[in-house]
Amino acid sequence: MIVELPDTTISAVSKALVKVREEGGAVALGRVLTLVISSAGRTDEEAIEAANDASREHPMRVIVLSTSPDGETRLDAEIRVGGDAGASEVVVLRASGETATDPESLVTGLLLPDAPVVVWWPGEAPADPHASPLGRIGTRRITDAAAAGDPVAALARLGEHYTPGDTDFAWTRLTLWRAQLAAVLDQPPYEPVTGVRVVGSSDSPSTELLAQWLGLQLELDVDLVVKAPGDGPNGIHRVRLERASGPIELSRDEGGVATLTQPDQPTHDIALPRRSLRDCLAEELRRLDPDELFGDVVRQEASPR
């Protein structure tokens, strides 16, 4: 069900939410957090769909704020519940003119009481998310460097301004890679790694973070090889770990299947799919405390090389 509220106020939206709850039953009970999606000038339906899917694991209220400083001063809203909102309730706010200049006040009146607030920028994010109007109210702040015009530069800026609670989907997309590489090194012969090479696309922030993580964990200088977009698969191409008994190499093709080669062992094909927006969001919502390892890694990214 979608309830349209043209040319409205936050107070009217809040009252409409209560009415929808009374008419449809206890729609909002059991919500564990508020997710604020900040999208500039448009309603990001892909992000809303990802939030709806993730809400089946994390029941929540979703507030989508689309702002445009141009046009007349007004606020249009819609409330989505039931089949249009998964296990959440979605409030879409479209603010223009002077109404769009104070996003924090637009959102504050709709937050669930005594519940954590997660702020997500699916597109271009502020250079310093924590200092932004919406970032100040967030327990966690999620950005996506891959959506920026210069993903690697966006990651470096995040590292410069990192505040506990910040995270980025470039890191979340590495979970399967990190788990697989850690599992390989947990097997005999337990030899120290003497060299590391990471190969990936120049526009892949995940490749940068993977190289920084390996360097930090193994206390080695990593040979990072970046290739032009289109020269091989998108994102991370392969990781090579040198040990005395021979190299370990994990490489992925376009189909999301990775090949693992190790000395004196048969070659293994491993499912290493590219993670969807829903998977990344659901994983980040599982922890609302600061990700200290990500903080260490992303600050390394901002350090001079």
Side-chain angles (χ1 to χ4, degrees):
M1 179 176 70
I2 299 179
V3 179
E4 299 281 354
L5 299 169
D7 198 8
T8 187
T9 64
I10 292 299
S11 176
V13 174
S14 182
K15 291 177 181 178
L17 273 171
V18 174
K19 183 178 180 181
V20 167
R21 192 178 310 140
E22 291 174 346
E23 292 178 350
V27 175
L29 294 182
R31 300 293 183 248
V32 298
L33 60 92
T34 303
L35 174 66
V36 179
I37 303 175
S38 176
S39 59
R42 72 190 194 285
T43 302
D44 197 325
E45 293 295 338
E46 184 182 9
I48 294 174
E49 184 178 348
N52 288 345
D53 287 343
S55 72
R56 293 177 171 86
E57 183 177 342
H58 311 280
M60 57 189 164
R61 173 175 291 176
V62 180
I63 302 172
V64 185
L65 179 59
S66 173
T67 57
S68 174
D70 302 323
E72 65 175 304
T73 298
R74 63 179 288 160
L75 174 67
D76 297 319
E78 64 181 48
I79 299 172
R80 305 181 187 182
V81 294
D84 295 293
S88 64
E89 52 190 5
V90 179
V91 181
V92 181
L93 304 175
R94 303 183 185 90
S96 58
E98 289 187 14
T99 308
T101 60
D102 190 2
E104 184 177 356
S105 66
L106 290 173
V107 168
T108 302
L110 299 175
L111 301 178
L112 291 173
D114 303 320
V117 178
V118 179
V119 183
W120 173 28
W121 292 269
E124 287 276 358
D128 185 354
H130 178 262
S132 67
L134 291 179
R136 286 194 294 265
I137 64 175
T139 307
R140 293 293 303 275
R141 296 163 294 278
I142 304 172
T143 55
D144 191 353
D150 186 338
V152 177
L155 204 58
R157 285 195 301 271
L158 182 61
E160 291 172 6
H161 300 287
Y162 174 79
T163 303
D166 293 346
T167 192
D168 193 279
F169 279 163
W171 177 248
T172 321
R173 294 185 183 102
L174 287 179
T175 298
L176 301 180
W177 279 89
R178 292 193 294 123
Q180 188 59 53
L181 291 169
V184 168
L185 294 179
D186 278 343
Q187 299 173 6
Y190 308 115
E191 297 171 329
V193 176
T194 57
V196 182
R197 170 174 285 194
V198 176
V199 183
S201 300
S202 60
D203 61 351
S204 169
S206 293
T207 301
E208 295 275 337
L209 287 180
L210 181 58
Q212 296 291 357
W213 173 71
L214 286 168
L216 193 66
Q217 298 298 100
L218 299 174
E219 299 181 348
L220 291 170
D221 291 330
V222 176
D223 179 16
L224 176 61
V225 180
V226 293
K227 297 193 173 185
D231 183 7
N234 293 326
I236 302 166
H237 297 182
R238 64 181 178 273
V239 176
R240 184 183 178 93
L241 306 176
E242 300 286 351
R243 297 197 298 187
S245 60
I248 299 169
E249 186 164 293
L250 182 65
S251 60
R252 182 172 67 181
D253 60 22
E254 284 287 4
V257 176
T259 301
L260 175 64
T261 57
Q262 303 178 77
D264 304 321
Q265 292 194 31
T267 299
H268 296 283
D269 289 333
I270 300 169
L272 201 64
R274 300 181 187 280
R275 308 198 73 192
S276 68
L277 205 58
R278 185 267 175 206
D279 291 337
C280 291
L281 181 60
E283 179 178 325
E284 286 299 339
L285 295 180
R286 289 185 195 120
R287 61 174 303 166
L288 297 177
D289 58 314
D291 189 337
E292 295 179 0
L293 179 57
F294 169 72
D296 293 339
V297 172
V298 79
R299 282 194 290 260
Q300 285 282 111
E301 177 64 26
S303 302
R305 296 183 180 177

